[in-house]
Amino acid sequence: MKFSKKRKQRLFSFLQVLLIFILTISISGYFSFFGVEPHHHGIMLKPAFDMNHGLMLFRDTFTQYGALTTILQFWALHIFGNYLIVINLLTALFYGLSIIFLWLSWSLFLPQIITTFACLIWLFLAPYFLPDYFFLPWSSVYSLFFQSVTLYAFLKYLQSKKNAWQVLAGIAAALTFWARQPVGMFMICSIGIFIVILKIKKYKILNLLPFFVSYIFVHAIFFLWLFANKALGDWWYQTIRFPFLWAQSLSKSVIPLSQIGRNLLPNPIPTANPVLSLWAVLPFIITYMGYILLVTKDKSKQQVMLLFGILISLASWLQYHPVPDIRHLYWAATPMIGFVIYFIWQF
């Protein structure tokens, strides 16, 4: 049986995606069995455990992170039992799902082999390879997945102008917020900035109505659920007010702007810590790429798509603040990696 050239290319693409998916869930799944950190693991396990015993999220149990993360982990516990390893393995699965959509997004700009190489770089930069950095079932991993879906869906809309991609992007963007609030807020702001920057007729708000309608619809479902269960006020104080006050308290001993700068540029001196220095270099390259695209007149479709990816990456960079822990840096910088590889490849 002979395959056409196009079919062979599709099969090769599928095999590459399957490879990085299996590698990601296998490696991250392996590390998920080692080490327990009562603080971080407990913060994620407790509300999901409580929901599995009939308590209402926010009203009867506390979490300052996204409701969707807890709901997903609750479902996993409900099906497979009340064990920490259950939500660890679920998180490993979400790592794998995220890299699928990142591969699809980056391959719109890069040759597929280089895209696969970029994914492997991302995989082996994971902090759980380092001593004392245990695998965490953190909300950032879940938000990364929905962020990656949003990135790919909106890029496909820009490429094809099919409104179905807008709807998927709107749903995923809203779910990003409900997985982890800061990621969702930063991302929707970056999408707004993208629309304002272009000032092109075909990108007016009315043309993006499917995106905004689906985005608002998903939010409405969550708010109605919270309101119906008398948990809306608790949600506000636990996930919006409390994190704001907590982040504010971290900056009392220094000038706030100085602290933000330190967090966004962690150890930029190469001799300080090569691993941390990498996370300071990536945003510089992304910012430079964004500048080049902004000053480019008569942008091609490919350049418009690239600008969108850059703005999503810059919005993700803001997650470095207020805690520039290497795990937070890794999650935040993930969208940047493929675009930085693209920048290097152009040379």
Side-chain angles (χ1 to χ4, degrees), residues 16-27:
Q16 289 182 84
V17 173
L18 182 63
L19 171 66
I20 57 108
F21 173 73
I22 292 174
L23 275 176
T24 300
I25 62 172
S26 299
I27 292 173

Side-chain angles (χ1 to χ4, degrees), residues 92-347:
L93 174 63
F94 270 81
Y95 269 122
L97 294 173
S98 298
I99 201 58
I100 289 175
F101 284 93
L102 288 167
W103 189 95
L104 292 171
S105 299
W106 295 340
S107 66
L108 295 173
F109 307 97
L110 288 165
Q112 291 184 1
I113 289 293
I114 298 179
T115 303
T116 300
F117 176 69
C119 292
L120 292 174
I121 289 176
W122 167 82
L123 174 60
F124 289 103
L125 283 172
Y128 48 71
F129 283 102
L130 302 174
D132 302 323
Y133 284 93
F134 297 135
F135 182 98
L136 297 181
W138 212 242
S139 58
S140 297
V141 183
Y142 298 83
S143 66
L144 175 62
F145 166 70
F146 294 109
Q147 181 187 36
S148 303
V149 175
T150 306
L151 173 63
Y152 177 65
F154 208 98
L155 286 173
K156 288 297 291 181
Y157 162 68
L158 294 174
Q159 184 185 61
S160 67
K161 296 298 181 290
K162 293 181 179 179
N163 287 333
W165 289 113
Q166 277 200 68
V167 174
L168 177 59
I171 293 171
L175 293 177
T176 304
F177 173 86
W178 288 100
R180 186 172 177 84
Q181 311 87 259
V183 187
M185 288 190 288
F186 294 148
M187 190 174 66
I188 195 64
C189 289
S190 71
I191 293 173
I193 292 170
F194 171 77
I195 296 168
V196 171
I197 285 175
L198 288 182
K199 297 180 181 177
I200 300 174
K201 184 177 181 181
K202 58 184 174 182
Y203 296 114
K204 281 186 176 179
I205 296 297
L206 288 179
N207 295 83
L208 293 171
L209 197 59
F211 171 83
F212 289 107
V213 169
S214 58
Y215 180 80
I216 292 169
F217 180 74
V218 171
H219 280 298
I221 292 174
F222 276 93
F223 284 128
L224 286 172
W225 172 65
L226 292 171
F227 179 78
N229 287 279
K230 300 179 181 178
L232 190 57
D234 297 297
W235 167 81
W236 172 261
Y237 282 107
Q238 291 179 33
T239 68
I240 305 297
R241 183 64 175 161
F242 175 77
F244 176 79
L245 294 174
W246 175 77
Q248 194 177 48
S249 70
L250 295 179
S251 302
K252 284 186 177 179
S253 59
V254 295
I255 300 172
L257 286 178
S258 173
Q259 180 66 23
I260 293 173
R262 293 179 191 178
N263 292 341
L264 292 178
L265 300 172
N267 288 349
I269 302 173
T271 55
N273 187 319
V275 176
L276 290 180
S277 298
L278 171 68
W279 309 121
V281 171
L282 291 176
F284 273 114
I285 298 175
I286 290 293
T287 302
Y288 176 73
M289 293 175 67
Y291 169 75
I292 295 299
L293 288 168
L294 284 175
V295 299
T296 301
K297 295 182 178 180
D298 301 322
K299 299 176 182 61
S300 66
K301 181 186 290 186
Q302 186 83 348
Q303 289 173 323
V304 169
M305 292 168 61
L306 184 60
L307 177 61
F308 179 79
I310 295 301
L311 288 173
I312 293 294
S313 298
L314 288 173
S316 191
W317 175 29
L318 298 178
Q319 295 178 66
Y320 281 22
H321 179 76
V323 181
D325 175 270
I326 192 169
R327 288 168 289 208
H328 289 270
L329 304 181
Y330 176 69
W331 295 321
T334 291
M336 304 181 201
I337 293 172
F339 294 107
V340 169
I341 296 292
Y342 171 81
F343 175 79
I344 296 170
W345 176 66
Q346 289 299 298
F347 283 94

